[in-house]
Amino acid sequence: MQVLQVQLEVGPDPAEVGRARRWARKRLAGSGIGEDEPLAETLVLLISELVTNAVVHTGCPAVLRMLFAAEGGVRVEVADASDLPPRPRRAAGEDTNGRGLELVDGLADRWGWQREGVGKSIWCEVDRSPADTVAGEGFGSPGRVHC
């Protein structure tokens, strides 16, 4: 299995989220995923949520990585220096935040987190075509993990 990996360093500023989205759109287009494909919009939303969580909740720089499998799947990873595990929250009706990991859980085929160096990495995977890929294959992930 061939995997192409690209990465972007993200500063600890919420304004960096927009830069991460623009960067991701360009990389997705360069990998053959068209801007108008639903997959591209799903991935950009996932990236936005994970990068936002990293910079807002840790106040630390982060590294955004996208891995493109030859089979068409895409893995997104956001690593930060905080050793605190992600904590899903339940947003109430009119709350304007607290839905990030719930969105990730609903949009990604698989997601989870792992310790990485002194910090952690939160990852999610989206299969390009669910009919072409068996869940759990492509990146060697352990399947859906709830934190």
Side-chain angles (χ1 to χ4, degrees), residues 4 50 61 97 109 121 127 131 135:
L4 170 66
L50 293 180
N97 58 26
D109 291 306
S121 174
D127 300 328

Side-chain angles (χ1 to χ4, degrees), residues 38-120:
L39 176 62
E41 286 305 312
T42 297
L43 287 163
V44 169
L45 179 56
L46 289 166
I47 287 165
S48 185
E49 292 300 329
L50 293 180
V51 171
T52 297
N53 283 351
V55 300
V56 168
H57 295 296
T58 71
C60 300
V63 175
L64 164 61
R65 292 185 287 262
M66 290 194 308
L67 296 88
F68 299 91
E71 298 81 26
V74 180
R75 180 178 173 113
V76 172
E77 299 175 354
V78 177
D80 62 55
S82 170
D83 65 349
L84 297 175
R87 205 181 79 217
R89 301 183 316 177
R90 293 280 180 217
E94 298 295 319
D95 290 351
T96 58
N97 58 26
R99 293 177 180 83
L101 291 177
E102 192 173 342
L103 278 170
V104 171
D105 186 53
L107 294 172
D109 291 306
R110 293 162 298 283
W111 76 278
W113 73 280
Q114 60 204 27
R115 301 243 180 248
E116 185 172 299
V118 296
K120 69 178 170 306

